[in-house]
């Protein structure tokens, strides 16, 4: 039970960091932008979807991140990442019309809205990756 709560806390914190970074212009999304952020060493960490269909895409992002020593945080579903960055379409807050996947995003910097506790939690998590 505690493992489920911890996972939920991790995803909730990650979601908040990704969304606030998106609204502050500190998020790179898509293979081109993510690779560019990694190569220029602007990315603090990368979030990669495990269910990405293109195996070469995942290998490229992971290899680049490893080469430039950028941590990669994996989430299970790209649809979840797509919801977080706002590319899924909703009729209401709870009813989804169209689910769109996003395979990777790179957080370049933490937004000012992210609390110190959330920032510390994410930094501790990415040190363990």
């Amino acid at each position: 039970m505690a493992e489920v709560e911890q996972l939920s806390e991790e995803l909730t914190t990650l979601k908040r960091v990704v969304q606030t970074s998106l609204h502050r212009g500190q998020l790179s999304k898509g293979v081109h932008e993510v690779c560019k952020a990694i190569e220029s060493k602007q990315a603090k960490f990368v979030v990669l979807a495990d269910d990405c269909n293109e195996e070469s895409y995942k290998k490229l992002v992971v290899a680049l991140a490893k080469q430039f020593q950028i941590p990669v945080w994996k989430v299970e579903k790209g649809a979840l990442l797509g919801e977080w960055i706002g590319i899924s379409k909703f009729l209401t807050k709870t009813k989804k019309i169209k689910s769109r996947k996003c395979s990777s995003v790179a957080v370049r910097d933490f937004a000012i809205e992210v609390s110190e506790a959330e920032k510390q939690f994410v930094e501790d998590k990415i040190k363990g990756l």
Side-chain angles (χ1 to χ4, degrees), residues 40-103:
S40 64
K41 294 188 178 182
Q42 291 180 339
K44 294 237 185 245
F45 65 95
V46 174
V47 183
L48 181 66
D50 269 341
D51 69 343
C52 177
N53 297 340
E54 287 292 324
E55 200 61 38
S56 58
Y57 180 101
K58 291 193 318 189
K59 285 180 183 177
L60 173 68
V61 171
V62 170
L64 269 178
K66 186 175 182 179
Q67 179 182 354
F68 290 96
Q69 300 170 348
I70 307 283
V72 177
W73 189 329
K74 294 189 178 182
V75 294
E76 287 185 29
K77 298 183 179 184
L80 185 65
L81 204 50
E83 278 182 34
W84 293 354
I85 65 169
I87 61 174
S88 294
K89 297 187 181 194
F90 289 88
L91 185 59
T92 63
K93 284 188 174 185
T94 56
K95 187 173 180 179
K96 191 184 315 182
I97 294 175
K98 185 174 184 178
S99 180
R100 293 184 62 197
K101 289 183 179 182
C102 177
S103 295

